[in-house]
mmCIF file of all heavy atoms in Angstrom:
data_model
loop_
_atom_site.group_PDB
_atom_site.id
_atom_site.type_symbol
_atom_site.label_atom_id
_atom_site.label_comp_id
_atom_site.label_asym_id
_atom_site.label_seq_id
_atom_site.Cartn_x
_atom_site.Cartn_y
_atom_site.Cartn_z
ATOM 1 N N LEU A 1031 0.801 -1.223 0.073
ATOM 2 C CA LEU A 1031 -0.036 -0.045 0.080
ATOM 3 C C LEU A 1031 0.871 1.274 0.042
ATOM 4 O O LEU A 1031 0.545 2.279 -0.640
ATOM 5 C CB LEU A 1031 -0.938 0.049 1.219
ATOM 6 C CG LEU A 1031 -2.169 -1.015 1.075
ATOM 7 C CD1 LEU A 1031 -2.981 -1.096 2.373
ATOM 8 C CD2 LEU A 1031 -3.007 -0.604 -0.031
ATOM 9 N N SER A 1032 2.010 1.144 0.678
ATOM 10 C CA SER A 1032 2.862 2.394 0.647
ATOM 11 C C SER A 1032 3.603 2.772 -0.642
ATOM 12 O O SER A 1032 3.571 3.803 -1.143
ATOM 13 C CB SER A 1032 4.030 2.200 1.727
ATOM 14 O OG SER A 1032 3.563 2.167 3.051
ATOM 15 N N LEU A 1033 3.868 1.522 -1.399
ATOM 16 C CA LEU A 1033 4.434 1.717 -2.760
ATOM 17 C C LEU A 1033 3.371 2.224 -3.576
ATOM 18 O O LEU A 1033 3.627 3.090 -4.507
ATOM 19 C CB LEU A 1033 5.015 0.322 -3.190
ATOM 20 C CG LEU A 1033 6.272 -0.105 -2.639
ATOM 21 C CD1 LEU A 1033 6.534 -1.546 -2.960
ATOM 22 C CD2 LEU A 1033 7.388 0.766 -3.099
ATOM 23 N N ALA A 1034 2.056 1.701 -3.571
ATOM 24 C CA ALA A 1034 0.992 2.375 -4.247
ATOM 25 C C ALA A 1034 0.856 3.810 -4.016
ATOM 26 O O ALA A 1034 0.653 4.643 -4.916
ATOM 27 C CB ALA A 1034 -0.156 1.486 -4.050
ATOM 28 N N GLY A 1035 0.908 4.123 -2.761
ATOM 29 C CA GLY A 1035 0.794 5.442 -2.302
ATOM 30 C C GLY A 1035 1.906 6.372 -2.840
ATOM 31 O O GLY A 1035 1.629 7.513 -3.341
ATOM 32 N N LEU A 1036 3.115 5.833 -2.924
ATOM 33 C CA LEU A 1036 4.187 6.622 -3.494
ATOM 34 C C LEU A 1036 3.977 6.822 -5.060
ATOM 35 O O LEU A 1036 4.230 7.951 -5.570
ATOM 36 C CB LEU A 1036 5.503 5.940 -3.242
ATOM 37 C CG LEU A 1036 6.246 6.190 -1.945
ATOM 38 C CD1 LEU A 1036 7.442 5.234 -1.759
ATOM 39 C CD2 LEU A 1036 6.602 7.629 -1.692
ATOM 40 N N ALA A 1037 3.607 5.780 -5.691
ATOM 41 C CA ALA A 1037 3.349 5.939 -7.244
ATOM 42 C C ALA A 1037 2.261 6.979 -7.388
ATOM 43 O O ALA A 1037 2.443 7.902 -8.322
ATOM 44 C CB ALA A 1037 2.872 4.565 -7.712
ATOM 45 N N ALA A 1038 1.196 6.972 -6.584
ATOM 46 C CA ALA A 1038 0.124 7.949 -6.798
ATOM 47 C C ALA A 1038 0.662 9.409 -6.499
ATOM 48 O O ALA A 1038 0.303 10.307 -7.104
ATOM 49 C CB ALA A 1038 -1.081 7.676 -5.818
ATOM 50 N N ASP A 1039 1.436 9.488 -5.447
ATOM 51 C CA ASP A 1039 2.067 10.740 -5.062
ATOM 52 C C ASP A 1039 2.893 11.345 -6.183
ATOM 53 O O ASP A 1039 2.840 12.467 -6.400
ATOM 54 C CB ASP A 1039 2.906 10.598 -3.731
ATOM 55 C CG ASP A 1039 3.545 11.888 -3.323
ATOM 56 O OD1 ASP A 1039 2.819 12.945 -3.213
ATOM 57 O OD2 ASP A 1039 4.779 11.839 -3.153
ATOM 58 N N TYR A 1040 3.708 10.544 -6.744
ATOM 59 C CA TYR A 1040 4.605 10.970 -7.991
ATOM 60 C C TYR A 1040 3.743 11.340 -9.044
ATOM 61 O O TYR A 1040 4.118 12.413 -9.741
ATOM 62 C CB TYR A 1040 5.573 9.906 -8.301
ATOM 63 C CG TYR A 1040 6.614 9.716 -7.278
ATOM 64 C CD1 TYR A 1040 6.956 8.282 -7.022
ATOM 65 C CD2 TYR A 1040 7.271 10.711 -6.716
ATOM 66 C CE1 TYR A 1040 8.061 8.040 -6.085
ATOM 67 C CE2 TYR A 1040 8.319 10.555 -5.784
ATOM 68 C CZ TYR A 1040 8.660 9.123 -5.455
ATOM 69 O OH TYR A 1040 9.603 8.834 -4.565
ATOM 70 N N VAL A 1041 2.546 10.811 -9.264
ATOM 71 C CA VAL A 1041 1.610 11.187 -10.362
ATOM 72 C C VAL A 1041 1.104 12.500 -9.980
ATOM 73 O O VAL A 1041 1.011 13.375 -10.918
ATOM 74 C CB VAL A 1041 0.560 10.158 -10.566
ATOM 75 C CG1 VAL A 1041 -0.610 10.708 -11.476
ATOM 76 C CG2 VAL A 1041 0.972 8.785 -11.049
ATOM 77 N N LEU A 1042 0.733 12.812 -8.714
ATOM 78 C CA LEU A 1042 0.221 14.099 -8.259
ATOM 79 C C LEU A 1042 1.293 15.135 -8.597
ATOM 80 O O LEU A 1042 0.896 16.256 -8.955
ATOM 81 C CB LEU A 1042 -0.087 14.010 -6.863
ATOM 82 C CG LEU A 1042 -0.505 15.346 -6.131
ATOM 83 C CD1 LEU A 1042 -1.791 15.813 -6.778
ATOM 84 C CD2 LEU A 1042 -0.750 15.071 -4.515
ATOM 85 N N LEU A 1043 2.547 14.827 -8.390
ATOM 86 C CA LEU A 1043 3.587 15.776 -8.549
ATOM 87 C C LEU A 1043 3.744 16.184 -10.025
ATOM 88 O O LEU A 1043 4.330 17.241 -10.371
ATOM 89 C CB LEU A 1043 4.973 15.210 -8.023
ATOM 90 C CG LEU A 1043 5.171 15.318 -6.573
ATOM 91 C CD1 LEU A 1043 6.214 14.483 -6.090
ATOM 92 C CD2 LEU A 1043 5.334 16.771 -6.088
ATOM 93 N N THR A 1044 3.215 15.431 -11.013
ATOM 94 C CA THR A 1044 3.347 15.685 -12.395
ATOM 95 C C THR A 1044 2.206 16.754 -12.817
ATOM 96 O O THR A 1044 2.269 17.311 -13.867
ATOM 97 C CB THR A 1044 3.204 14.424 -13.183
ATOM 98 O OG1 THR A 1044 1.830 13.969 -13.096
ATOM 99 C CG2 THR A 1044 4.164 13.433 -12.899
ATOM 100 N N ILE A 1045 1.226 17.066 -11.860
ATOM 101 C CA ILE A 1045 0.063 17.888 -12.239
ATOM 102 C C ILE A 1045 0.019 18.961 -11.383
ATOM 103 O O ILE A 1045 -0.883 19.896 -11.701
ATOM 104 C CB ILE A 1045 -1.169 17.035 -12.312
ATOM 105 C CG1 ILE A 1045 -1.516 16.404 -10.990
ATOM 106 C CG2 ILE A 1045 -1.094 15.855 -13.485
ATOM 107 C CD1 ILE A 1045 -2.994 15.708 -11.091
ATOM 108 N N VAL A 1046 0.613 19.149 -10.193
ATOM 109 C CA VAL A 1046 0.444 20.206 -9.291
ATOM 110 C C VAL A 1046 0.868 21.468 -9.925
ATOM 111 O O VAL A 1046 1.868 21.594 -10.675
ATOM 112 C CB VAL A 1046 1.107 20.063 -7.914
ATOM 113 C CG1 VAL A 1046 0.655 18.778 -7.142
ATOM 114 C CG2 VAL A 1046 2.651 19.766 -8.202
ATOM 115 N N HIS A 1047 0.148 22.608 -9.636
ATOM 116 C CA HIS A 1047 0.389 23.858 -10.222
ATOM 117 C C HIS A 1047 0.404 24.988 -9.127
ATOM 118 O O HIS A 1047 0.436 26.142 -9.578
ATOM 119 C CB HIS A 1047 -0.737 24.190 -11.253
ATOM 120 C CG HIS A 1047 -0.524 23.322 -12.519
ATOM 121 N ND1 HIS A 1047 0.547 23.421 -13.335
ATOM 122 C CD2 HIS A 1047 -1.254 22.368 -13.012
ATOM 123 C CE1 HIS A 1047 0.533 22.636 -14.474
ATOM 124 N NE2 HIS A 1047 -0.624 21.741 -14.162
ATOM 125 N N THR A 1048 0.261 24.676 -7.854
ATOM 126 C CA THR A 1048 0.362 25.612 -6.761
ATOM 127 C C THR A 1048 1.337 25.221 -5.670
ATOM 128 O O THR A 1048 1.446 23.952 -5.515
ATOM 129 C CB THR A 1048 -1.069 25.986 -6.180
ATOM 130 O OG1 THR A 1048 -1.563 24.804 -5.618
ATOM 131 C CG2 THR A 1048 -2.061 26.391 -7.329
ATOM 132 N N LEU A 1049 1.808 26.172 -5.021
ATOM 133 C CA LEU A 1049 2.784 25.742 -3.942
ATOM 134 C C LEU A 1049 2.084 24.893 -2.737
ATOM 135 O O LEU A 1049 2.746 23.985 -2.241
ATOM 136 C CB LEU A 1049 3.450 26.925 -3.495
ATOM 137 C CG LEU A 1049 4.622 27.586 -4.238
ATOM 138 C CD1 LEU A 1049 5.088 28.834 -3.706
ATOM 139 C CD2 LEU A 1049 5.736 26.457 -4.442
ATOM 140 N N PRO A 1050 0.835 25.267 -2.412
ATOM 141 C CA PRO A 1050 0.290 24.474 -1.282
ATOM 142 C C PRO A 1050 0.183 23.018 -1.679
ATOM 143 O O PRO A 1050 0.324 22.106 -0.922
ATOM 144 C CB PRO A 1050 -1.109 25.163 -1.095
ATOM 145 C CG PRO A 1050 -0.948 26.592 -1.552
ATOM 146 C CD PRO A 1050 0.063 26.479 -2.633
ATOM 147 N N TRP A 1051 -0.184 22.769 -3.022
ATOM 148 C CA TRP A 1051 -0.437 21.363 -3.365
ATOM 149 C C TRP A 1051 1.064 20.696 -3.568
ATOM 150 O O TRP A 1051 1.071 19.473 -3.304
ATOM 151 C CB TRP A 1051 -1.091 21.228 -4.805
ATOM 152 C CG TRP A 1051 -2.555 21.212 -4.563
ATOM 153 C CD1 TRP A 1051 -3.439 22.141 -4.853
ATOM 154 C CD2 TRP A 1051 -3.309 20.102 -4.132
ATOM 155 N NE1 TRP A 1051 -4.733 21.828 -4.580
ATOM 156 C CE2 TRP A 1051 -4.626 20.447 -4.059
ATOM 157 C CE3 TRP A 1051 -3.040 18.840 -3.529
ATOM 158 C CZ2 TRP A 1051 -5.637 19.583 -3.604
ATOM 159 C CZ3 TRP A 1051 -4.035 18.056 -3.226
ATOM 160 C CH2 TRP A 1051 -5.442 18.505 -3.186
ATOM 161 N N LEU A 1052 2.079 21.442 -3.850
ATOM 162 C CA LEU A 1052 3.354 20.903 -3.801
ATOM 163 C C LEU A 1052 3.792 20.412 -2.490
ATOM 164 O O LEU A 1052 4.351 19.434 -2.300
ATOM 165 C CB LEU A 1052 4.388 21.937 -4.360
ATOM 166 C CG LEU A 1052 5.831 21.479 -4.560
ATOM 167 C CD1 LEU A 1052 6.002 20.281 -5.392
ATOM 168 C CD2 LEU A 1052 6.727 22.634 -4.963
ATOM 169 N N PHE A 1053 3.456 21.265 -1.514
ATOM 170 C CA PHE A 1053 3.630 20.853 0.029
ATOM 171 C C PHE A 1053 2.902 19.740 0.266
ATOM 172 O O PHE A 1053 3.452 18.828 0.976
ATOM 173 C CB PHE A 1053 3.373 22.060 0.877
ATOM 174 C CG PHE A 1053 4.485 23.029 1.058
ATOM 175 C CD1 PHE A 1053 4.684 24.106 0.181
ATOM 176 C CD2 PHE A 1053 5.326 22.822 2.041
ATOM 177 C CE1 PHE A 1053 5.743 25.015 0.316
ATOM 178 C CE2 PHE A 1053 6.401 23.783 2.379
ATOM 179 C CZ PHE A 1053 6.554 24.818 1.434
ATOM 180 N N VAL A 1054 1.743 19.543 -0.089
ATOM 181 C CA VAL A 1054 0.838 18.427 0.189
ATOM 182 C C VAL A 1054 1.551 17.166 -0.339
ATOM 183 O O VAL A 1054 1.577 16.069 0.240
ATOM 184 C CB VAL A 1054 -0.539 18.577 -0.309
ATOM 185 C CG1 VAL A 1054 -1.331 17.267 -0.274
ATOM 186 C CG2 VAL A 1054 -1.305 19.639 0.497
ATOM 187 N N ALA A 1055 1.910 17.342 -1.715
ATOM 188 C CA ALA A 1055 2.502 16.016 -2.392
ATOM 189 C C ALA A 1055 3.735 15.677 -1.632
ATOM 190 O O ALA A 1055 4.002 14.479 -1.510
ATOM 191 C CB ALA A 1055 2.709 16.398 -3.831
ATOM 192 N N ARG A 1056 4.662 16.475 -1.181
ATOM 193 C CA ARG A 1056 5.904 16.233 -0.535
ATOM 194 C C ARG A 1056 5.545 15.622 0.838
ATOM 195 O O ARG A 1056 6.296 14.783 1.288
ATOM 196 C CB ARG A 1056 6.789 17.344 -0.557
ATOM 197 C CG ARG A 1056 7.302 17.815 -1.927
ATOM 198 C CD ARG A 1056 7.751 16.698 -2.901
ATOM 199 N NE ARG A 1056 9.086 16.142 -2.556
ATOM 200 C CZ ARG A 1056 9.522 15.041 -2.919
ATOM 201 N NH1 ARG A 1056 8.787 13.990 -3.454
ATOM 202 N NH2 ARG A 1056 10.702 14.651 -2.473
ATOM 203 N N ALA A 1057 4.528 16.046 1.504
ATOM 204 C CA ALA A 1057 4.177 15.604 2.754
ATOM 205 C C ALA A 1057 3.728 14.100 2.662
ATOM 206 O O ALA A 1057 4.088 13.296 3.409
ATOM 207 C CB ALA A 1057 3.034 16.346 3.483
ATOM 208 N N LEU A 1058 3.051 13.773 1.520
ATOM 209 C CA LEU A 1058 2.640 12.441 1.281
ATOM 210 C C LEU A 1058 3.874 11.605 0.969
ATOM 211 O O LEU A 1058 3.995 10.444 1.400
ATOM 212 C CB LEU A 1058 1.667 12.476 0.066
ATOM 213 C CG LEU A 1058 0.200 13.002 0.325
ATOM 214 C CD1 LEU A 1058 -0.539 13.020 -0.998
ATOM 215 C CD2 LEU A 1058 -0.460 12.164 1.359
ATOM 216 N N SER A 1059 4.899 12.134 0.345
ATOM 217 C CA SER A 1059 6.104 11.401 0.166
ATOM 218 C C SER A 1059 6.713 11.091 1.443
ATOM 219 O O SER A 1059 7.159 9.924 1.583
ATOM 220 C CB SER A 1059 7.109 12.234 -0.733
ATOM 221 O OG SER A 1059 6.524 12.592 -1.968
ATOM 222 N N GLY A 1060 6.717 11.935 2.430
ATOM 223 C CA GLY A 1060 7.209 11.702 3.731
ATOM 224 C C GLY A 1060 6.455 10.538 4.444
ATOM 225 O O GLY A 1060 7.008 9.835 5.212
ATOM 226 N N ILE A 1061 5.216 10.660 4.315
ATOM 227 C CA ILE A 1061 4.275 9.643 4.988
ATOM 228 C C ILE A 1061 4.582 8.299 4.487
ATOM 229 O O ILE A 1061 4.886 7.270 5.189
ATOM 230 C CB ILE A 1061 2.766 10.069 4.948
ATOM 231 C CG1 ILE A 1061 2.424 11.298 5.661
ATOM 232 C CG2 ILE A 1061 1.934 8.841 5.295
ATOM 233 C CD1 ILE A 1061 1.096 11.859 5.385
ATOM 234 N N PHE A 1062 4.546 8.100 3.263
ATOM 235 C CA PHE A 1062 4.684 6.806 2.534
ATOM 236 C C PHE A 1062 6.162 6.356 2.716
ATOM 237 O O PHE A 1062 6.488 5.183 2.720
ATOM 238 C CB PHE A 1062 4.197 6.878 1.116
ATOM 239 C CG PHE A 1062 2.729 7.019 0.984
ATOM 240 C CD1 PHE A 1062 2.283 8.051 0.307
ATOM 241 C CD2 PHE A 1062 1.837 6.154 1.559
ATOM 242 C CE1 PHE A 1062 0.891 8.266 -0.005
ATOM 243 C CE2 PHE A 1062 0.444 6.358 1.419
ATOM 244 C CZ PHE A 1062 -0.050 7.383 0.793
ATOM 245 N N GLY A 1063 7.136 7.336 2.807
ATOM 246 C CA GLY A 1063 8.471 6.955 2.979
ATOM 247 C C GLY A 1063 8.632 6.296 4.384
ATOM 248 O O GLY A 1063 9.653 5.726 4.714
ATOM 249 N N GLY A 1064 7.782 6.590 5.279
ATOM 250 C CA GLY A 1064 7.906 6.036 6.674
ATOM 251 C C GLY A 1064 7.695 4.517 6.637
ATOM 252 O O GLY A 1064 7.835 3.836 7.642
ATOM 253 N N SER A 1065 7.465 3.900 5.480
ATOM 254 C CA SER A 1065 7.275 2.502 5.353
ATOM 255 C C SER A 1065 8.579 1.686 5.536
ATOM 256 O O SER A 1065 8.648 0.485 5.576
ATOM 257 C CB SER A 1065 6.598 2.075 3.993
ATOM 258 O OG SER A 1065 7.421 2.482 2.942
ATOM 259 N N VAL A 1066 9.720 2.483 5.563
ATOM 260 C CA VAL A 1066 10.953 1.776 5.803
ATOM 261 C C VAL A 1066 10.958 1.042 7.136
ATOM 262 O O VAL A 1066 11.697 0.092 7.272
ATOM 263 C CB VAL A 1066 12.113 2.848 5.900
ATOM 264 C CG1 VAL A 1066 11.937 3.780 7.137
ATOM 265 C CG2 VAL A 1066 13.543 2.227 5.788
ATOM 266 N N ALA A 1067 10.094 1.478 8.087
ATOM 267 C CA ALA A 1067 9.916 0.750 9.419
ATOM 268 C C ALA A 1067 9.472 -0.669 9.098
ATOM 269 O O ALA A 1067 9.973 -1.725 9.567
ATOM 270 C CB ALA A 1067 9.034 1.471 10.246
ATOM 271 N N ALA A 1068 8.449 -0.830 8.312
ATOM 272 C CA ALA A 1068 7.947 -2.089 7.900
ATOM 273 C C ALA A 1068 8.990 -2.955 7.069
ATOM 274 O O ALA A 1068 9.040 -4.242 7.298
ATOM 275 C CB ALA A 1068 6.558 -2.016 7.097
ATOM 276 N N ALA A 1069 9.650 -2.217 6.310
ATOM 277 C CA ALA A 1069 10.686 -2.914 5.497
ATOM 278 C C ALA A 1069 11.676 -3.589 6.325
ATOM 279 O O ALA A 1069 12.120 -4.787 6.101
ATOM 280 C CB ALA A 1069 11.223 -1.921 4.490
ATOM 281 N N GLN A 1070 12.294 -2.880 7.269
ATOM 282 C CA GLN A 1070 13.310 -3.339 8.130
ATOM 283 C C GLN A 1070 12.795 -4.376 9.243
ATOM 284 O O GLN A 1070 13.520 -5.293 9.478
ATOM 285 C CB GLN A 1070 14.057 -2.105 8.823
ATOM 286 C CG GLN A 1070 14.676 -1.132 7.952
ATOM 287 C CD GLN A 1070 15.774 -0.414 8.548
ATOM 288 O OE1 GLN A 1070 16.934 -0.310 7.978
ATOM 289 N NE2 GLN A 1070 15.473 0.193 9.608
ATOM 290 N N ALA A 1071 11.436 -4.198 9.518
ATOM 291 C CA ALA A 1071 10.835 -5.241 10.339
ATOM 292 C C ALA A 1071 10.850 -6.515 9.608
ATOM 293 O O ALA A 1071 10.943 -7.643 10.121
ATOM 294 C CB ALA A 1071 9.522 -4.805 10.817
ATOM 295 N N ALA A 1072 10.466 -6.526 8.254
ATOM 296 C CA ALA A 1072 10.392 -7.657 7.454
ATOM 297 C C ALA A 1072 11.797 -8.437 7.481
ATOM 298 O O ALA A 1072 11.879 -9.632 7.627
ATOM 299 C CB ALA A 1072 9.952 -7.451 6.055
ATOM 300 N N ILE A 1073 12.893 -7.721 7.385
ATOM 301 C CA ILE A 1073 14.201 -8.249 7.532
ATOM 302 C C ILE A 1073 14.406 -9.007 8.884
ATOM 303 O O ILE A 1073 15.055 -9.995 8.889
ATOM 304 C CB ILE A 1073 15.297 -7.185 7.247
ATOM 305 C CG1 ILE A 1073 15.181 -6.731 5.810
ATOM 306 C CG2 ILE A 1073 16.755 -7.611 7.624
ATOM 307 C CD1 ILE A 1073 16.303 -5.798 5.446
ATOM 308 N N ALA A 1074 13.994 -8.185 9.879
ATOM 309 C CA ALA A 1074 14.118 -8.774 11.224
ATOM 310 C C ALA A 1074 13.373 -10.084 11.356
ATOM 311 O O ALA A 1074 13.764 -11.054 12.113
ATOM 312 C CB ALA A 1074 13.663 -7.758 12.295
ATOM 313 N N ASP A 1075 12.174 -10.189 10.683
ATOM 314 C CA ASP A 1075 11.396 -11.351 10.727
ATOM 315 C C ASP A 1075 12.001 -12.643 10.342
ATOM 316 O O ASP A 1075 11.911 -13.734 10.830
ATOM 317 C CB ASP A 1075 10.095 -11.150 9.961
ATOM 318 C CG ASP A 1075 9.125 -10.255 10.527
ATOM 319 O OD1 ASP A 1075 9.377 -9.819 11.796
ATOM 320 O OD2 ASP A 1075 8.369 -9.635 9.706
ATOM 321 N N VAL A 1076 12.841 -12.448 9.245
ATOM 322 C CA VAL A 1076 13.372 -13.596 8.536
ATOM 323 C C VAL A 1076 14.901 -13.797 8.754
ATOM 324 O O VAL A 1076 15.566 -14.664 8.137
ATOM 325 C CB VAL A 1076 13.101 -13.565 7.021
ATOM 326 C CG1 VAL A 1076 11.701 -13.480 6.679
ATOM 327 C CG2 VAL A 1076 13.888 -12.338 6.353
ATOM 328 N N THR A 1077 15.510 -13.020 9.686
ATOM 329 C CA THR A 1077 16.864 -13.116 9.862
ATOM 330 C C THR A 1077 17.223 -13.328 11.369
ATOM 331 O O THR A 1077 16.538 -12.788 12.242
ATOM 332 C CB THR A 1077 17.534 -11.634 9.460
ATOM 333 O OG1 THR A 1077 17.193 -11.387 8.155
ATOM 334 C CG2 THR A 1077 19.087 -11.703 9.538
ATOM 335 N N GLN A 1078 18.145 -14.135 11.534
ATOM 336 C CA GLN A 1078 18.621 -14.462 12.964
ATOM 337 C C GLN A 1078 19.294 -13.113 13.511
ATOM 338 O O GLN A 1078 19.867 -12.479 12.697
ATOM 339 C CB GLN A 1078 19.535 -15.607 12.973
ATOM 340 C CG GLN A 1078 19.021 -16.889 12.699
ATOM 341 C CD GLN A 1078 17.855 -17.302 13.695
ATOM 342 O OE1 GLN A 1078 18.039 -17.168 14.827
ATOM 343 N NE2 GLN A 1078 16.742 -17.708 13.028
#
């Protein structure tokens, strides 16, 4: 879901035309980028 959100966010960045929407788009990038926690937890799940 985070990867899908990032893809949608990058699509949004191709069409934004105001600074407020640019800030919203980059905020979404930060939110979905927080998925690194789940990514590293997956490594911990399968690694001694």
Side-chain angles (χ1 to χ4, degrees):
L1031 287 174
S1032 294
L1033 285 168
L1036 277 176
D1039 178 51
Y1040 290 136
V1041 171
L1042 176 62
L1043 282 165
T1044 66
I1045 60 175
V1046 294
H1047 290 288
T1048 64
L1049 285 176
W1051 274 108
L1052 181 58
F1053 274 86
V1054 169
R1056 297 313 280 159
L1058 290 174
S1059 297
I1061 291 172
F1062 294 123
S1065 62
V1066 68
Q1070 299 202 131
I1073 290 181
D1075 291 338
V1076 300
T1077 307
Q1078 293 299 314

